[in-house]
Each structure stands twice: as structure tokens, then as C-alpha cells.
Amino acid sequence: MSGLAITPTSGSPDARVRRGRRRSSGFGAPEFVAAVVVLFLLGCALAPQLFATASPTAVDPRAAFSPPSLSHWFGTDESGRDVWSRVVHGAGTSLLIGVAATAIGLLLGAVLATIAAVGGRIADFAVGRVLEVLFAFPGLLLALLVIVIAGPGPVTATIAVGLSTAPGYARLIRGQLLQVRSSDFVEAARVLGHGPARILFRHILPNAVAPLFVLATLGIGQAVVWASALSYLGLGAQPPAPEWGAMLAAARTYLATAWWLTAFPGLMIVATALSTTVLGRGLQRRSREDGR
């Protein structure tokens, strides 16, 4: 009897814990749906003509304010333009702004974090004080200040959103760099006589880059929301450009009579932010489990 192994039954706590670990180790249904939405948005951005054949700027006054139907899936706006085509073509503009702003924020944050992490106490103190000043301003308010100084426009809005997200990225990347710098393989490289530049570019930065992809996935949705908000305020893309925030701004006058003009661009903004966030959280959870 003493040599027999006791196997946990399917209803035992150990078995339930193992099943939970197996389920958490992979992507579930939310992540799968989010990935499908992201792929659809990328398809709309790269090849909008495959999803919408009508021109997003073609005007047809006779079809103005047509509700959603088989001929116009998302209805038409005040000028008779097909809302479905405008929403599809707007994916390219909105995602381009979101990706570019995220890249700017990550790049600037990585530079500040690298200076703070490997530049010594004085550099770390100086960068820390700059970040504290920037954190005193809400992100969207900081973007508005940049636009007030540089002037409105989609390029300015992209730069403004990127600059406003840089402090958050800098703090996260700095912590990652400090963790990698104190690891055993970096200490071994120092013992072997490798110079500071070689250690930084060959050992520290490559091992700290992996979490940046997760940060980028999480940040794109936020950047799209902020860029749409700036366009809604008239500080980003301008009508009649097929951009989701600009479409919301142009349609707010007709909110009571043509609900579809604001509903569908708003749903696209929500779907983009939600899908990228869910996908980024899934990647973040997966990376943490892989690191255990």
C-alpha cells in the first residue's frame, strides 16, 4: 500500500489548480476575438478598397441622411457620403496616428530611461525631476499644450500624443533596465572586462526590449483614443477627412436625427481601444508566465 501513488481526481483542488494553470497559459476567447478585430482593422488600414468599394469623399446630396440599409450598411451623412466607406478608410488614418504616436512615445521614453538607468546618479536625478514635472500634467492636457504651441493638424496631434505618453513609458522602461542591469549575466560581462557601451548595447538593451512590444500593444489603443479626442476638438484631422474623431465632430449636430453618424465611428474607436488592450494584457500575462 505504501508504494501506491495517489492520483488527484478531476474534482480535487490540485486538479482544478492544474486546469486553471493550463487555461491561463494560453490565449482564451477574449484574446482570440481581440486578435480577429485587430486583424480586421489592419486589413482596413492596409487595403480599404477590399472592404469598401465606395469613395469615402463622394458626395450624393439626394442620399443625405439615409439610415443603415443594404445599400449603405452604416447609412449616409449630411452630404450623402457612405459612412461605412468613411469608417473603413478612417481606420488607416486613426491607426497610423496611433502607431506613430506610440512609436514616438516609446522612443523618447527609452532614451530618457536609458540615460537615467546607466548615466549615473546625477543623470538619474535630473531625468527623474523632469518626469515628475511632466507627470504633474494630465496626458491629454500636455498634448493640448503642445498643439497650442505648434498649431493644430494631424502631424502635430501625432507628435503631441507621443510626447504626452513618453513619461509613462520612460518610468516603466527605466525599471526594466535597472532590473536587467543588476542581473547575473551583466555582472559576469563586467567581470570578463567588457566595456560599458558593449554591456549596454549587447546585454542590457536586447534583454529589456521584449516588454516594449507589450507596452506598444497597450499604448496604441490609448493613442487612438487621444488622437480622436483631439480631432473631435478640431485640433487634429479636419473634415472632410475620413478620421473617426473628425467624423464624430462633424456629426454631433445631427445626434438627435441621425444616430448612426456618431454610433459607428464611436464603436470603431471603442473596438480599437478594447481589442488592443485585451490583446496587450494577454501578451503581458503570457510573458510573465514564460518568465517564471
Side-chain angles (χ1 to χ4, degrees):
M1 294 294 292
S2 59
L4 295 178
I6 299 176
T7 303
T9 63
S10 60
S12 65
D14 291 341
R16 288 195 295 268
V17 169
R18 291 180 181 180
R19 288 198 301 268
R21 288 177 178 175
R22 285 197 298 267
R23 285 195 297 266
S24 63
S25 62
F27 288 147
E31 289 80 8
F32 176 78
V33 174
V36 172
V37 174
V38 170
L39 289 176
F40 170 73
L41 293 172
L42 290 175
C44 292
L46 298 175
Q49 65 277 3
L50 296 179
F51 300 91
T53 57
S55 172
T57 57
V59 175
D60 185 7
R62 296 174 298 178
F65 296 113
S66 297
S69 61
L70 293 178
S71 57
H72 300 287
W73 293 354
F74 285 0
T76 60
D77 61 7
E78 70 277 5
S79 300
R81 295 171 294 200
D82 186 71
V83 176
W84 165 253
S85 296
R86 291 178 60 76
V87 165
V88 169
H89 283 80
T93 303
S94 298
L95 288 181
L96 178 60
I97 293 176
V99 171
T102 303
I104 292 173
L106 280 174
L107 180 61
L108 182 57
V111 172
L112 293 175
T114 303
I115 295 174
V118 302
R121 293 183 178 180
I122 297 178
D124 190 15
F125 178 82
V127 172
R129 302 294 78 75
V130 171
L131 294 180
E132 288 179 0
V133 172
L134 293 177
F135 273 120
F137 296 91
L140 190 56
L141 178 59
L142 183 60
L144 289 173
L145 291 176
V146 174
I147 292 178
V148 168
I149 297 173
V155 176
T156 308
T158 302
I159 297 174
V161 173
L163 293 178
S164 62
T165 57
Y169 291 136
R171 176 171 290 182
L172 293 174
I173 297 172
R174 174 183 174 274
Q176 182 69 21
L177 288 173
L178 291 176
Q179 182 180 359
V180 174
R181 191 183 67 175
S182 60
S183 59
D184 293 337
F185 64 89
V186 174
E187 293 296 332
R190 292 195 183 99
V191 172
L192 292 175
H194 295 175
R198 184 177 181 181
I199 294 176
L200 174 63
F201 290 103
R202 188 167 181 175
H203 299 285
I204 297 179
L205 288 180
N207 288 279
V209 164
L212 296 185
F213 295 103
V214 177
L215 290 178
T217 306
L218 292 170
I220 289 175
Q222 177 187 1
V224 169
V225 172
W226 286 10
S228 299
L230 294 175
S231 297
Y232 181 83
L233 296 174
L235 302 175
Q238 302 295 320
E243 196 272 339
W244 296 334
M247 292 174 64
L248 289 175
R252 59 188 172 186
T253 307
Y254 313 104
L255 184 60
T257 57
W259 57 268
W260 56 89
L261 297 183
T262 54
F264 294 116
L267 286 175
M268 294 299 289
I269 296 174
V270 173
T272 303
L274 186 61
S275 60
T276 53
T277 301
V278 170
L279 192 59
R281 294 295 183 186
L283 293 173
Q284 188 178 46
R285 184 174 63 252
R286 187 67 177 270
S287 64
R288 287 176 179 176
E289 291 174 354
D290 291 341
R292 292 176 182 175

mmCIF file with all atom_site columns, all heavy atoms in Angstrom, residues 220-235:
data_model
loop_
_atom_site.group_PDB
_atom_site.id
_atom_site.type_symbol
_atom_site.label_atom_id
_atom_site.label_alt_id
_atom_site.label_comp_id
_atom_site.label_asym_id
_atom_site.label_entity_id
_atom_site.label_seq_id
_atom_site.pdbx_PDB_ins_code
_atom_site.Cartn_x
_atom_site.Cartn_y
_atom_site.Cartn_z
_atom_site.occupancy
_atom_site.B_iso_or_equiv
_atom_site.pdbx_formal_charge
_atom_site.auth_seq_id
_atom_site.auth_comp_id
_atom_site.auth_asym_id
_atom_site.auth_atom_id
_atom_site.pdbx_PDB_model_num
ATOM 1   N N   . ILE A 1 220 ? -1.211  51.626 -28.156 1.00 0.00 ? 220 ILE A N   1
ATOM 2   C CA  . ILE A 1 220 ? -1.829  52.034 -29.425 1.00 0.00 ? 220 ILE A CA  1
ATOM 3   C C   . ILE A 1 220 ? -3.283  52.417 -29.217 1.00 0.00 ? 220 ILE A C   1
ATOM 4   O O   . ILE A 1 220 ? -3.766  53.432 -29.742 1.00 0.00 ? 220 ILE A O   1
ATOM 5   C CB  . ILE A 1 220 ? -1.691  50.906 -30.459 1.00 0.00 ? 220 ILE A CB  1
ATOM 6   C CG1 . ILE A 1 220 ? -0.232  50.782 -30.909 1.00 0.00 ? 220 ILE A CG1 1
ATOM 7   C CG2 . ILE A 1 220 ? -2.581  51.167 -31.672 1.00 0.00 ? 220 ILE A CG2 1
ATOM 8   C CD1 . ILE A 1 220 ? 0.025   49.618 -31.834 1.00 0.00 ? 220 ILE A CD1 1
ATOM 9   N N   . GLY A 1 221 ? -4.019  51.624 -28.447 1.00 0.00 ? 221 GLY A N   1
ATOM 10  C CA  . GLY A 1 221 ? -5.422  51.944 -28.198 1.00 0.00 ? 221 GLY A CA  1
ATOM 11  C C   . GLY A 1 221 ? -5.588  53.282 -27.502 1.00 0.00 ? 221 GLY A C   1
ATOM 12  O O   . GLY A 1 221 ? -6.452  54.084 -27.878 1.00 0.00 ? 221 GLY A O   1
ATOM 13  N N   . GLN A 1 222 ? -4.754  53.545 -26.503 1.00 0.00 ? 222 GLN A N   1
ATOM 14  C CA  . GLN A 1 222 ? -4.810  54.830 -25.812 1.00 0.00 ? 222 GLN A CA  1
ATOM 15  C C   . GLN A 1 222 ? -4.472  55.973 -26.750 1.00 0.00 ? 222 GLN A C   1
ATOM 16  O O   . GLN A 1 222 ? -5.125  57.022 -26.726 1.00 0.00 ? 222 GLN A O   1
ATOM 17  C CB  . GLN A 1 222 ? -3.842  54.820 -24.631 1.00 0.00 ? 222 GLN A CB  1
ATOM 18  C CG  . GLN A 1 222 ? -3.769  56.147 -23.885 1.00 0.00 ? 222 GLN A CG  1
ATOM 19  C CD  . GLN A 1 222 ? -2.682  56.157 -22.819 1.00 0.00 ? 222 GLN A CD  1
ATOM 20  O OE1 . GLN A 1 222 ? -1.976  55.172 -22.648 1.00 0.00 ? 222 GLN A OE1 1
ATOM 21  N NE2 . GLN A 1 222 ? -2.548  57.264 -22.126 1.00 0.00 ? 222 GLN A NE2 1
ATOM 22  N N   . ALA A 1 223 ? -3.476  55.778 -27.610 1.00 0.00 ? 223 ALA A N   1
ATOM 23  C CA  . ALA A 1 223 ? -3.088  56.832 -28.551 1.00 0.00 ? 223 ALA A CA  1
ATOM 24  C C   . ALA A 1 223 ? -4.214  57.120 -29.553 1.00 0.00 ? 223 ALA A C   1
ATOM 25  O O   . ALA A 1 223 ? -4.450  58.264 -29.919 1.00 0.00 ? 223 ALA A O   1
ATOM 26  C CB  . ALA A 1 223 ? -1.808  56.437 -29.277 1.00 0.00 ? 223 ALA A CB  1
ATOM 27  N N   . VAL A 1 224 ? -4.907  56.068 -30.008 1.00 0.00 ? 224 VAL A N   1
ATOM 28  C CA  . VAL A 1 224 ? -6.023  56.264 -30.935 1.00 0.00 ? 224 VAL A CA  1
ATOM 29  C C   . VAL A 1 224 ? -7.133  57.069 -30.268 1.00 0.00 ? 224 VAL A C   1
ATOM 30  O O   . VAL A 1 224 ? -7.726  57.975 -30.879 1.00 0.00 ? 224 VAL A O   1
ATOM 31  C CB  . VAL A 1 224 ? -6.548  54.904 -31.436 1.00 0.00 ? 224 VAL A CB  1
ATOM 32  C CG1 . VAL A 1 224 ? -7.870  55.071 -32.178 1.00 0.00 ? 224 VAL A CG1 1
ATOM 33  C CG2 . VAL A 1 224 ? -5.524  54.255 -32.352 1.00 0.00 ? 224 VAL A CG2 1
ATOM 34  N N   . VAL A 1 225 ? -7.430  56.761 -29.011 1.00 0.00 ? 225 VAL A N   1
ATOM 35  C CA  . VAL A 1 225 ? -8.470  57.492 -28.290 1.00 0.00 ? 225 VAL A CA  1
ATOM 36  C C   . VAL A 1 225 ? -8.080  58.957 -28.131 1.00 0.00 ? 225 VAL A C   1
ATOM 37  O O   . VAL A 1 225 ? -8.894  59.867 -28.357 1.00 0.00 ? 225 VAL A O   1
ATOM 38  C CB  . VAL A 1 225 ? -8.733  56.838 -26.919 1.00 0.00 ? 225 VAL A CB  1
ATOM 39  C CG1 . VAL A 1 225 ? -9.668  57.695 -26.079 1.00 0.00 ? 225 VAL A CG1 1
ATOM 40  C CG2 . VAL A 1 225 ? -9.341  55.455 -27.105 1.00 0.00 ? 225 VAL A CG2 1
ATOM 41  N N   . TRP A 1 226 ? -6.846  59.220 -27.736 1.00 0.00 ? 226 TRP A N   1
ATOM 42  C CA  . TRP A 1 226 ? -6.407  60.602 -27.554 1.00 0.00 ? 226 TRP A CA  1
ATOM 43  C C   . TRP A 1 226 ? -6.386  61.362 -28.871 1.00 0.00 ? 226 TRP A C   1
ATOM 44  O O   . TRP A 1 226 ? -6.798  62.523 -28.930 1.00 0.00 ? 226 TRP A O   1
ATOM 45  C CB  . TRP A 1 226 ? -5.029  60.620 -26.905 1.00 0.00 ? 226 TRP A CB  1
ATOM 46  C CG  . TRP A 1 226 ? -5.053  60.277 -25.445 1.00 0.00 ? 226 TRP A CG  1
ATOM 47  C CD1 . TRP A 1 226 ? -6.123  59.782 -24.738 1.00 0.00 ? 226 TRP A CD1 1
ATOM 48  C CD2 . TRP A 1 226 ? -3.977  60.400 -24.515 1.00 0.00 ? 226 TRP A CD2 1
ATOM 49  N NE1 . TRP A 1 226 ? -5.770  59.577 -23.439 1.00 0.00 ? 226 TRP A NE1 1
ATOM 50  C CE2 . TRP A 1 226 ? -4.469  59.942 -23.257 1.00 0.00 ? 226 TRP A CE2 1
ATOM 51  C CE3 . TRP A 1 226 ? -2.678  60.817 -24.612 1.00 0.00 ? 226 TRP A CE3 1
ATOM 52  C CZ2 . TRP A 1 226 ? -3.669  59.921 -22.116 1.00 0.00 ? 226 TRP A CZ2 1
ATOM 53  C CZ3 . TRP A 1 226 ? -1.873  60.787 -23.476 1.00 0.00 ? 226 TRP A CZ3 1
ATOM 54  C CH2 . TRP A 1 226 ? -2.366  60.350 -22.249 1.00 0.00 ? 226 TRP A CH2 1
ATOM 55  N N   . ALA A 1 227 ? -5.907  60.723 -29.932 1.00 0.00 ? 227 ALA A N   1
ATOM 56  C CA  . ALA A 1 227 ? -5.884  61.384 -31.235 1.00 0.00 ? 227 ALA A CA  1
ATOM 57  C C   . ALA A 1 227 ? -7.298  61.680 -31.722 1.00 0.00 ? 227 ALA A C   1
ATOM 58  O O   . ALA A 1 227 ? -7.557  62.754 -32.291 1.00 0.00 ? 227 ALA A O   1
ATOM 59  C CB  . ALA A 1 227 ? -5.147  60.516 -32.249 1.00 0.00 ? 227 ALA A CB  1
ATOM 60  N N   . SER A 1 228 ? -8.223  60.761 -31.499 1.00 0.00 ? 228 SER A N   1
ATOM 61  C CA  . SER A 1 228 ? -9.616  61.006 -31.877 1.00 0.00 ? 228 SER A CA  1
ATOM 62  C C   . SER A 1 228 ? -10.208 62.148 -31.058 1.00 0.00 ? 228 SER A C   1
ATOM 63  O O   . SER A 1 228 ? -10.991 62.955 -31.583 1.00 0.00 ? 228 SER A O   1
ATOM 64  C CB  . SER A 1 228 ? -10.442 59.727 -31.689 1.00 0.00 ? 228 SER A CB  1
ATOM 65  O OG  . SER A 1 228 ? -9.962  58.683 -32.500 1.00 0.00 ? 228 SER A OG  1
ATOM 66  N N   . ALA A 1 229 ? -9.845  62.210 -29.784 1.00 0.00 ? 229 ALA A N   1
ATOM 67  C CA  . ALA A 1 229 ? -10.333 63.311 -28.948 1.00 0.00 ? 229 ALA A CA  1
ATOM 68  C C   . ALA A 1 229 ? -9.814  64.655 -29.448 1.00 0.00 ? 229 ALA A C   1
ATOM 69  O O   . ALA A 1 229 ? -10.555 65.649 -29.477 1.00 0.00 ? 229 ALA A O   1
ATOM 70  C CB  . ALA A 1 229 ? -9.915  63.080 -27.498 1.00 0.00 ? 229 ALA A CB  1
ATOM 71  N N   . LEU A 1 230 ? -8.551  64.704 -29.859 1.00 0.00 ? 230 LEU A N   1
ATOM 72  C CA  . LEU A 1 230 ? -8.003  65.954 -30.393 1.00 0.00 ? 230 LEU A CA  1
ATOM 73  C C   . LEU A 1 230 ? -8.681  66.335 -31.704 1.00 0.00 ? 230 LEU A C   1
ATOM 74  O O   . LEU A 1 230 ? -8.970  67.513 -31.949 1.00 0.00 ? 230 LEU A O   1
ATOM 75  C CB  . LEU A 1 230 ? -6.493  65.817 -30.588 1.00 0.00 ? 230 LEU A CB  1
ATOM 76  C CG  . LEU A 1 230 ? -5.663  65.653 -29.304 1.00 0.00 ? 230 LEU A CG  1
ATOM 77  C CD1 . LEU A 1 230 ? -4.204  65.399 -29.636 1.00 0.00 ? 230 LEU A CD1 1
ATOM 78  C CD2 . LEU A 1 230 ? -5.802  66.890 -28.422 1.00 0.00 ? 230 LEU A CD2 1
ATOM 79  N N   . SER A 1 231 ? -8.953  65.343 -32.564 1.00 0.00 ? 231 SER A N   1
ATOM 80  C CA  . SER A 1 231 ? -9.661  65.629 -33.804 1.00 0.00 ? 231 SER A CA  1
ATOM 81  C C   . SER A 1 231 ? -11.084 66.090 -33.522 1.00 0.00 ? 231 SER A C   1
ATOM 82  O O   . SER A 1 231 ? -11.621 66.969 -34.212 1.00 0.00 ? 231 SER A O   1
ATOM 83  C CB  . SER A 1 231 ? -9.688  64.387 -34.704 1.00 0.00 ? 231 SER A CB  1
ATOM 84  O OG  . SER A 1 231 ? -8.379  64.019 -35.086 1.00 0.00 ? 231 SER A OG  1
ATOM 85  N N   . TYR A 1 232 ? -11.708 65.517 -32.520 1.00 0.00 ? 232 TYR A N   1
ATOM 86  C CA  . TYR A 1 232 ? -13.055 65.936 -32.138 1.00 0.00 ? 232 TYR A CA  1
ATOM 87  C C   . TYR A 1 232 ? -13.067 67.404 -31.698 1.00 0.00 ? 232 TYR A C   1
ATOM 88  O O   . TYR A 1 232 ? -14.034 68.138 -31.959 1.00 0.00 ? 232 TYR A O   1
ATOM 89  C CB  . TYR A 1 232 ? -13.567 65.042 -31.018 1.00 0.00 ? 232 TYR A CB  1
ATOM 90  C CG  . TYR A 1 232 ? -14.969 65.369 -30.560 1.00 0.00 ? 232 TYR A CG  1
ATOM 91  C CD1 . TYR A 1 232 ? -16.068 64.875 -31.246 1.00 0.00 ? 232 TYR A CD1 1
ATOM 92  C CD2 . TYR A 1 232 ? -15.187 66.159 -29.437 1.00 0.00 ? 232 TYR A CD2 1
ATOM 93  C CE1 . TYR A 1 232 ? -17.361 65.170 -30.829 1.00 0.00 ? 232 TYR A CE1 1
ATOM 94  C CE2 . TYR A 1 232 ? -16.470 66.467 -29.005 1.00 0.00 ? 232 TYR A CE2 1
ATOM 95  C CZ  . TYR A 1 232 ? -17.549 65.961 -29.713 1.00 0.00 ? 232 TYR A CZ  1
ATOM 96  O OH  . TYR A 1 232 ? -18.822 66.266 -29.301 1.00 0.00 ? 232 TYR A OH  1
ATOM 97  N N   . LEU A 1 233 ? -11.997 67.828 -31.054 1.00 0.00 ? 233 LEU A N   1
ATOM 98  C CA  . LEU A 1 233 ? -11.889 69.220 -30.609 1.00 0.00 ? 233 LEU A CA  1
ATOM 99  C C   . LEU A 1 233 ? -11.428 70.159 -31.723 1.00 0.00 ? 233 LEU A C   1
ATOM 100 O O   . LEU A 1 233 ? -11.292 71.358 -31.501 1.00 0.00 ? 233 LEU A O   1
ATOM 101 C CB  . LEU A 1 233 ? -10.918 69.317 -29.434 1.00 0.00 ? 233 LEU A CB  1
ATOM 102 C CG  . LEU A 1 233 ? -11.335 68.573 -28.160 1.00 0.00 ? 233 LEU A CG  1
ATOM 103 C CD1 . LEU A 1 233 ? -10.223 68.633 -27.123 1.00 0.00 ? 233 LEU A CD1 1
ATOM 104 C CD2 . LEU A 1 233 ? -12.624 69.155 -27.588 1.00 0.00 ? 233 LEU A CD2 1
ATOM 105 N N   . GLY A 1 234 ? -11.193 69.613 -32.913 1.00 0.00 ? 234 GLY A N   1
ATOM 106 C CA  . GLY A 1 234 ? -10.754 70.429 -34.033 1.00 0.00 ? 234 GLY A CA  1
ATOM 107 C C   . GLY A 1 234 ? -9.263  70.691 -34.069 1.00 0.00 ? 234 GLY A C   1
ATOM 108 O O   . GLY A 1 234 ? -8.813  71.580 -34.784 1.00 0.00 ? 234 GLY A O   1
ATOM 109 N N   . LEU A 1 235 ? -8.483  69.899 -33.322 1.00 0.00 ? 235 LEU A N   1
ATOM 110 C CA  . LEU A 1 235 ? -7.042  70.119 -33.232 1.00 0.00 ? 235 LEU A CA  1
ATOM 111 C C   . LEU A 1 235 ? -6.234  69.055 -33.963 1.00 0.00 ? 235 LEU A C   1
ATOM 112 O O   . LEU A 1 235 ? -5.009  69.119 -33.961 1.00 0.00 ? 235 LEU A O   1
ATOM 113 C CB  . LEU A 1 235 ? -6.610  70.149 -31.755 1.00 0.00 ? 235 LEU A CB  1
ATOM 114 C CG  . LEU A 1 235 ? -7.292  71.217 -30.895 1.00 0.00 ? 235 LEU A CG  1
ATOM 115 C CD1 . LEU A 1 235 ? -6.868  71.071 -29.444 1.00 0.00 ? 235 LEU A CD1 1
ATOM 116 C CD2 . LEU A 1 235 ? -6.980  72.608 -31.415 1.00 0.00 ? 235 LEU A CD2 1
#
